[in-house]
DNA sequence: TAGATTGTTAATCGATTAACAATC
DNA sequence: TAGATTGTTAATCGATTAACAATC
């Protein structure tokens, strides 16, 4: 089996991907780690390590072939093949996600949207009709989605996840600010804006105190 | 100056914060690392290290005082004092963020929203009237915000950031999928959904291939 | 050939985990 | 006292960075 990719590298791959495709569109065919590093503000050695982890092979003295890099990342990241997803919760965040047209380019297609509120069911959002929860099993059989995107309120997240998992979903993208339980084999990725905010505020507080603040 | 907090710890703090406040609301006064670890699925030793990094001091044999932990995290994370923010871009994501009422609880208050599109200016979103970009300098003098939230399209992110920085903003919360340039001293935090998506898809691809896939 | 660039191996750094001492 | 829990120090693990060899 191929070596697994370290998380930090993984998080950098979409950046590389976008960058390589942009370069390609300018007509370039090759790229060197030094150039990538300069443009993306990364250590060139780190770039090389990252490319190595996706099994990219370069030509000494020349660089890496862009087309190879692009297809290599696509393969490793599951781009290319579209992954079908169900969206749970059509609040403002859910609606915003439906509007992310580029998700398709990055391998994600939202094929159905659900909401517990009867008042929202039937509404049309970006080509999709909001569905009631009780149609989920039927639609899951039809679409066989693998991903569930959860944007319901925190206190309903676990229910939503349970329903998804019971209907064959293999991966949860969880935007609710709670940790949810899933059976082994199901992947959960948390997207917690409060966590990010905390990081930001902390850094801000740090730079403001600096020198000024002195511990007891 | 107080020891700076490692990033991984930092990302866990909001989780602790929420957990401690929840516990408090049940009437509990004390908590042990072992309990936290069990509930939050973290190694108890890691919990202790994290608490140590926010200078929390426990009582041996007893545990940590919840009230102390809560106020300690608030102090370190800049909760408590509200930080004023300007929102750039009132697309679906920007609108969604305006709806996050709990941001206030976590120390963030969006005091003005801007949009480059004349058609959106004047619209009312969550108690705020969408402002044109040319009013930004004036409103910045009035509010003296420290944080700029950028939800404009990728190709306008740098302009938005430049405008914010020119008007005294100290920290950028960047939701556009590009790396932006700022002068030294200004903090940038990236929130890139494509990066998260990549991580999720990769993990999904991994579990699907497993055993099956074998390198050349 | 000379030099740029990849490839590889070693060193560093930092976070996590483990072990154990202190103490209420 | 005994035992639970914090506090502290050491070991481990993994990512990043540095150094240098290979080669087109």
């Amino acid at each position: 089996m191929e070596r697994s990719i370290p998380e930090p590298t993984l998080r950098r791959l979409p950046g590389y991907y976008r960058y390589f495709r942009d370069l390609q569109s300018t007509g370039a065919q090759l790229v060197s780690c030094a150039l990538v590093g300069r443009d993306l503000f990364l250590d060139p050695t780190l770039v090389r390590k990252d490319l190595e982890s996706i099994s990219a092979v370069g030509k000494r003295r020349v660089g890496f072939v862009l087309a190879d890099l692009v297809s290599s990342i696509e393969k490793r990241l599951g781009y290319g093949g579209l992954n079908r997803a169900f969206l749970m919760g059509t609040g403002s965040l859910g609606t915003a996600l439906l509007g992310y047209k580029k998700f398709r380019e990055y391998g994600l297609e939202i094929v159905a949207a659900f909401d517990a509120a009867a008042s929202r069911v039937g509404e049309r959002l970006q080509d999709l009709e909001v569905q009631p929860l009780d149609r989920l099993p039927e639609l899951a059989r039809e679409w066989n989605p693998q991903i569930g995107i959860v944007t319901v309120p925190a206190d309903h997240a676990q229910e939503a996840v349970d329903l998804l998992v019971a209907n064959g979903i293999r991966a949860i993208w969880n935007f609710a600010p709670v940790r949810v339980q899933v059976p082994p084999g199901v992947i959960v990725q948390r997207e917690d804006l409060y966590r990010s905010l905390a990081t930001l505020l902390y850094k801000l507080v740090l730079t403001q105190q600096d020198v000024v603040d002195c511990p007891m």
Side-chain angles (χ1 to χ4, degrees), chain A residues 95-118:
Chain A
T95 307
L97 293 181
L98 276 175
Y100 268 63
K101 290 303 180 194
K102 287 238 177 115
F103 276 157
R104 287 182 65 97
E105 239 174 79
Y106 287 91
L108 183 81
E109 183 181 20
I110 301 176
V111 293
F114 298 84
D115 206 301

Side-chain angles (χ1 to χ4, degrees), chain A residues 3 9 45-57 64 69 76:
Chain A
R3 257 193 326 292
T9 297
T45 312
L46 183 59
V47 174
R48 197 162 317 113
K49 281 281 185 206
D50 285 344
L51 297 186
E52 187 186 311
S53 76
I54 55 166
S55 330
V57 180
F64 291 81
L69 291 174
R76 285 317 201 81

Side-chain angles (χ1 to χ4, degrees), chain A residues 76-135:
Chain A
R76 285 317 201 81
L77 253 41
Y79 296 166
L82 269 182
N83 296 275
R84 287 181 298 278
F86 275 9
L87 174 70
M88 306 296 278
T90 59
S92 55
L93 181 60
T95 307
L97 293 181
L98 276 175
Y100 268 63
K101 290 303 180 194
K102 287 238 177 115
F103 276 157
R104 287 182 65 97
E105 239 174 79
Y106 287 91
L108 183 81
E109 183 181 20
I110 301 176
V111 293
F114 298 84
D115 206 301
S119 60
R120 295 209 61 117
V121 170
E123 196 173 328
R124 245 191 140 57
L125 294 174
Q126 307 272 357
D127 299 341
L128 290 180
E129 192 174 318
V130 178
Q131 303 288 341
L133 291 181
D134 54 19
R135 285 207 62 201

Side-chain angles (χ1 to χ4, degrees), chain A residues 33-86:
Chain A
C33 295
L35 181 63
V36 178
R38 252 193 315 279
D39 288 347
L40 263 37
F41 305 94
L42 298 170
D43 186 303
T45 312
L46 183 59
V47 174
R48 197 162 317 113
K49 281 281 185 206
D50 285 344
L51 297 186
E52 187 186 311
S53 76
I54 55 166
S55 330
V57 180
K59 290 191 179 65
R60 288 176 212 250
R61 169 86 223 267
V62 176
F64 291 81
V65 176
L66 277 169
D68 292 353
L69 291 174
V70 166
S71 71
S72 182
I73 296 180
E74 282 174 349
K75 188 173 135 230
R76 285 317 201 81
L77 253 41
Y79 296 166
L82 269 182
N83 296 275
R84 287 181 298 278
F86 275 9

Side-chain angles (χ1 to χ4, degrees), chain A residues 1 5 18 22-23 41 48 62 69 77 88-89 113 121 124 136 152-153 159 166 185 198 202 216:
Chain A
M1 200 173 79
I5 304 175
R18 228 167 354 229
D22 283 355
L23 260 189
F41 305 94
R48 197 162 317 113
V62 176
L69 291 174
L77 253 41
M88 306 296 278
V121 170
R124 245 191 140 57
L136 195 145
V152 301
E159 294 168 43
Y202 171 72
M216 58 233 78

